[in-house]
Amino acid sequence: MLYMMNDKDLKTIYDKLNQELRRGILVLAILSQLQEAKYGYDLISHLGELGLEIEQGTLYPLLRRLEGQDLLVSEWVIEGSRPRRYYKITDTGRKTLETWQEIW
């Protein structure tokens, strides 16, 4: 028996594929924007201006994971009364980004 997908099934598949694609794009986008050190909110704002919305609850765990993989390095900087953690791509991160850009 031939099964024809309905619109609901197609939407579910599309949503799952879109989510997977977005996860991969986020890593590329973050690495590409950290050639110069940025703090989290600045990165969220900049990516938003480029059309890629990202929530704080998604960004900060991802930044910590990328740092754990030696793709980023972070440093606390005190500006005024508030400390901010700045992130910057490492040499390993640059090489990884270049490879992923070639694949993409």
Side-chain angles (χ1 to χ4, degrees):
M1 171 187 245
L2 183 60
Y3 174 72
M4 298 295 290
M5 282 194 230
N6 61 36
D7 289 343
K8 184 178 177 183
D9 293 337
L10 288 173
K11 181 172 178 355
T12 300
I13 291 169
Y14 170 78
D15 288 345
K16 287 180 182 180
L17 290 173
N18 191 40
Q19 185 178 20
E20 289 177 29
L21 179 62
R22 182 173 162 72
R23 282 187 191 135
I25 298 274
L26 285 176
V27 171
L28 284 170
I30 288 168
L31 291 177
S32 73
Q33 297 306 305
L34 292 175
Q35 302 299 320
E36 296 179 12
K38 288 186 172 79
Y39 60 98
Y41 182 77
D42 188 31
L43 185 57
I44 288 170
S45 297
H46 188 70
L47 289 172
E49 289 170 7
L50 297 173
L52 187 58
E53 301 293 327
I54 183 169
E55 301 285 330
Q56 289 182 11
T58 300
L59 177 66
Y60 290 106
L62 184 53
L63 289 172
R64 286 191 294 277
R65 182 170 59 89
L66 295 174
E67 187 174 18
Q69 294 170 336
D70 193 35
L71 301 177
L72 299 178
V73 64
S74 69
E75 174 184 23
W76 283 100
V77 176
I78 299 175
E79 295 178 344
S81 63
R82 128 184 291 187
R84 290 184 171 151
R85 191 173 204 160
Y86 280 79
Y87 297 87
K88 187 173 181 179
I89 195 169
T90 62
D91 288 339
T92 302
R94 273 190 204 86
K95 290 174 188 171
T96 301
L97 177 61
E98 289 171 9
T99 300
W100 285 350
Q101 285 173 327
E102 287 175 17
I103 292 170
W104 184 258

